[in-house]
Amino acid sequence: MYLVSGLLAAALALVANAAPAAQGQLQKVNGFNAGPTKAGMYIYVPSKKATPAPIIVAIHYCTGTAQAYFSSTQYANLADQKGFIVIYPNSPSSGGCWDVASTASLTHNGGGDSKTIANMVDYAVQNYGGDADKVFATGSSSGAMMTNVLAGAYPDIFKAGSSYSGVPDGCFYVPGATAGQATPGWNNECSGGRSVKTAQQWGDLTRSYYPGYNGTRTRMLIWHGTADNTLSYPNFAEALKQWSNVLDVPFTNDVANNPQSGYTKKVYGDGTKLIGYSGQGVGHTVPVHESVDLAWFGL
């Protein structure tokens, strides 16, 4: 079952650590009906918006909502300072989880929640002055899974991503899972850290979701805590293997106590395409590091 106690605990922890209020209000975009699923589009547009405005898509966890992720993270506060737009998708499933299990959602232009979110980006570009060349994704738990899915299926849209305590792209695939179903599938093998592949196998899986794509791939930050009992820590290594192969960057070195004490920064290549952050003793989920994300996004 997708709605598990660990995810609920993570949701409550995020809400308990609510960020200071943004200057403006989160708006529901009633005019967005581009589907194919019924995910809701919520948006934060700062009063001093850049022209055109970069877009961050901030994706909530299971049991969460767009409003909860708006309130518990600082992306909107930082948008007030820097002028970017934040899209907060709202899951259509009864448990608040994202469809990262169906063939449709895992495939470029195949449908599912991933296509709905991609359509939200297009809507923001067309109607809110968003910059199609500066689009980024981030999320926690189920939102982290969707961040990886978007990076794999829509690298033509998303320039960089930051995934907090998720799993590799495609790891949650469940045969027969249907896009738009009330409760997306749960994959125990993946969540338990038992889905182990070679880097080439993971990379081939991601490439299969957008056959023939030869453009620039999404740059990735991968965050995970060693004490994660919901989406087990081995998923960290598997995700790094995957993106190392997709982005064609080998592991270079570790940096201790970065970005803070107890974390290890794992650098791949020259550090411009892939970085991992391992939090010693950190559970589910890793606290959001907005300033690190913005530096990664170039904002």
Side-chain angles (χ1 to χ4, degrees):
M1 185 175 179
Y2 208 112
L3 186 58
V4 296
S5 59
L7 293 172
L8 178 58
L12 294 174
L14 278 168
V15 173
N17 294 310
Q23 294 176 8
Q25 299 295 316
L26 184 65
Q27 307 169 38
K28 187 176 190 304
V29 184
N30 293 313
F32 176 77
N33 56 10
T37 67
K38 294 182 179 180
M41 179 179 179
Y42 289 76
I43 196 166
Y44 185 78
V45 182
S47 58
K48 295 181 179 178
K49 183 184 67 175
T51 305
I55 299 169
I56 293 178
V57 180
I59 312 168
H60 67 73
Y61 41 86
C62 274
T63 77
T65 62
Q67 180 66 54
Y69 212 52
F70 166 74
S71 300
S72 63
T73 59
Q74 299 181 43
Y75 297 115
N77 306 31
L78 293 165
D80 290 332
Q81 301 173 28
K82 297 180 177 291
F84 57 82
I85 291 168
V86 191
I87 296 172
Y88 296 89
N90 196 73
S91 171
S93 76
S94 58
C97 301
W98 295 100
D99 168 20
V100 294
S102 74
T103 299
S105 201
L106 289 167
T107 304
H108 181 77
N109 287 338
D113 287 338
S114 66
K115 178 58 176 173
T116 304
I117 293 173
N119 288 343
M120 291 178 189
V121 171
D122 183 64
Y123 190 94
V125 170
Q126 299 299 323
N127 295 278
Y128 288 92
D131 188 345
D133 293 324
K134 295 181 179 179
V135 179
F136 313 98
T138 184
S140 299
S141 192
S142 184
M145 298 186 209
M146 179 54 75
T147 297
N148 283 332
V149 167
L150 291 170
Y154 296 94
D156 53 329
I157 294 177
F158 294 92
K159 308 306 178 186
S162 182
S163 172
Y164 287 91
S165 306
V167 302
D169 175 31
C171 186
F172 246 56
Y173 172 68
V174 176
T178 303
Q181 68 187 93
T183 304
W186 180 264
N187 186 317
N188 287 321
E189 286 298 303
C190 181
S191 65
R194 297 184 295 275
S195 292
V196 177
K197 301 180 187 295
T198 67
Q200 185 69 43
Q201 287 172 329
W202 279 124
D204 287 346
L205 192 62
T206 290
R207 285 182 286 270
S208 75
Y209 298 136
Y210 194 172
Y213 180 75
N214 293 312
T216 302
R217 289 282 176 175
T218 309
R219 299 179 293 106
M220 295 298 296
L221 289 184
I222 306 294
W223 304 77
H224 222 107
T226 63
D228 194 325
N229 293 320
T230 302
L231 297 173
S232 296
Y233 184 65
N235 281 300
F236 178 61
E238 297 305 300
L240 288 173
K241 282 159 54 175
Q242 179 176 55
W243 293 111
S244 174
N245 181 268
V246 170
L247 294 163
D248 193 24
V249 284
F251 173 73
T252 304
N253 65 289
D254 285 337
V255 182
N257 298 313
N258 187 296
Q260 67 188 71
S261 178
Y263 282 70
T264 299
K265 178 181 181 179
K266 304 185 78 66
V267 181
Y268 286 75
D270 62 3
T272 62
K273 293 183 178 181
L274 176 63
I275 288 175
Y277 287 106
S278 174
Q280 182 62 41
V282 178
H284 192 81
T285 59
V286 172
V288 176
H289 289 64
E290 294 92 343
S291 60
V292 178
D293 293 341
L294 262 61
W296 183 248
F297 298 157
L299 300 177

